[in-house]
Amino acid sequence: MLSTTEVRAIAQQVVDESKASAHVDQGTLKRSISYTITKGRYIFRQMYYGFYGEDNKGGINSQLEQNAKRLMPKGIEYQIVGIDFDGKTQETTVLKSGRKLVKEAPKTTKPAPTNKQTTSNLKKLLDTIKKNRAKNGDTEEKKNKGTDTNG
């Protein structure tokens, strides 16, 4: 069994080879390729310009997934997370058993929040306030008379 230091060296080798093979427009892709370790799982990340075949028929901008598959030892759990400029993510997880899971973030297409304070609702509110004041014998003129500071 490999030690943690040896596996980290292999993970760094995956990152280095992926950065070397990256197709670069402005350097964003090279800077985005990295790895972290969370709860014993190695998580590789990279920015995607075309997300898994939409704009980029090959589905990749670097060889990160292929390098991880080729270099990471069997029995080590790792994950590859691709993030595009719109914030969509796709996670590919390879479990200790070798099983591969692909999870795409759900699309959140919530409608824009609607502001229920329309002009007609405000008019209804003002009418209701005026009716309540009239019932109580209170008018706007009496209320404003005491607060008039202009003389």
Side-chain angles (χ1 to χ4, degrees):
M1 190 70 184
L2 295 173
S3 68
T4 306
T5 309
E6 293 170 330
V7 177
R8 286 182 184 207
I10 292 171
Q12 187 60 48
Q13 183 182 355
V14 169
V15 169
D16 292 341
E17 286 186 20
S18 299
K19 283 185 178 186
S21 70
H23 298 215
V24 182
D25 284 343
Q26 298 174 347
T28 305
L29 177 61
K30 272 191 177 179
R31 287 191 305 271
S32 71
I33 298 172
S34 64
Y35 84 96
T36 56
I37 303 169
T38 306
K39 296 182 182 176
R41 178 186 288 175
Y42 290 79
I43 302 173
F44 297 95
R45 288 183 168 75
Q46 74 175 339
M47 178 70 69
Y48 278 174
Y49 289 100
F51 207 60
Y52 286 105
E54 288 179 9
D55 299 326
N56 185 1
K57 297 299 179 195
I60 54 172
N61 292 308
S62 75
Q63 301 292 322
L64 180 64
E65 194 166 348
Q66 288 81 355
N67 291 338
K69 184 178 181 181
R70 180 173 51 87
L71 295 172
M72 287 301 285
K74 304 289 186 227
I76 301 293
E77 192 170 327
Y78 67 91
Q79 184 175 29
I80 298 170
V81 179
I83 303 167
D84 72 355
F85 285 112
D86 296 330
K88 291 191 303 183
T89 62
Q90 181 163 342
E91 299 174 358
T92 303
T93 305
V94 178
L95 302 175
K96 289 180 182 180
S97 64
R99 184 173 178 204
K100 184 177 177 180
L101 306 171
V102 178
K103 182 174 98 174
E104 201 167 318
K107 294 180 181 178
T108 56
T109 55
K110 293 181 182 177
T114 57
N115 191 356
K116 300 244 178 191
Q117 293 180 344
T118 60
T119 306
S120 59
N121 287 344
L122 291 174
K123 287 179 182 177
K124 289 178 187 176
L125 176 65
L126 290 174
D127 290 339
T128 306
I129 291 171
K130 285 179 184 177
K131 288 178 186 176
N132 286 342
R133 284 185 177 170
K135 283 182 187 176
N136 296 336
D138 196 16
T139 63
E140 283 186 40
E141 293 154 4
K142 286 184 186 177
K143 216 164 185 89
N144 291 336
K145 190 176 187 181
T147 60
D148 188 17
T149 57
N150 291 340

